[in-house]
Each structure stands twice: as C-alpha cells, then as structure tokens.
C-alpha cells in the first residue's frame, strides 16, 4: 500500500490492519500480505510484484516534514 510520506508508520499500519481485518471478514480462509510504502519514495512505484527488480538506495533523504498535531497527538 502506498501512503503519503508524511504519515507516521503507526497511521499506515492502522490502515493496513483495518483493511486486513475487513478482507478476513469477507474471505475467512484468505492469507493477506501487506507492505507499507511511501508515496514520496520513487522505489515504491517499482514495487508492484512479489519479485521486485533490484533497486538502488536514493542518494538524498526525504525532506523532513513539520509534524502536525495529528501525527504528534498534541492538542
């Protein structure tokens, strides 16, 4: 699943947990594999199969984002 790069890992994980739970509710015998990817990482767009072609690390890290109240839990 590709999510906005400013999302926390916790927020992305919560979304995946909800999706997995809903799938299991409809298909009780299903095995679900999920993987969290950042929308801001170009390598995320190449990760569409289980057998991904070799990728090279990005030379420059993503720009730090100002934490919002939603991600910090501050009022």
């Amino acid at each position: 699943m590709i999510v906005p790069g400013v999302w926390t890992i916790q927020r992305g994980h919560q979304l995946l947990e909800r999706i997995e739970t809903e799938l299991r509710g409809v298909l009780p015998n299903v095995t679900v594999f999920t993987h969290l990817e950042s929308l801001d990482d170009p390598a995320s767009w190449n990760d569409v199969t289980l057998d991904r072609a070799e990728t090279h690390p990005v030379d420059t890290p993503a720009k730090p984002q100002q934490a919002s109240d939603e991600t910090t839990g501050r009022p």
Side-chain angles (χ1 to χ4, degrees):
M1 171 149 309
I2 299 176
V3 299
V6 296
W7 279 24
T8 63
I9 294 169
Q10 180 180 4
R11 183 175 181 186
H13 186 259
Q14 288 172 338
L15 175 61
L16 289 177
E17 287 291 320
R18 189 169 69 233
I19 291 170
E20 289 177 17
T21 299
E22 290 180 16
L23 285 171
R24 286 187 197 100
V26 176
L27 305 166
N29 295 320
V30 73
T31 299
V32 181
F33 293 98
T34 57
H35 182 75
L36 194 60
E37 294 278 355
S38 170
L39 179 68
D40 299 334
D41 185 349
S44 298
W45 297 100
N46 296 325
D47 195 10
V48 294
T49 64
L50 290 176
D51 295 320
R52 175 172 49 166
E54 185 175 331
T55 59
H56 301 285
V58 178
D59 292 337
T60 55
K63 294 178 184 175
Q65 298 287 328
Q66 179 77 20
S68 70
D69 290 343
E70 182 177 47
T71 60
T72 61
R74 295 182 198 141

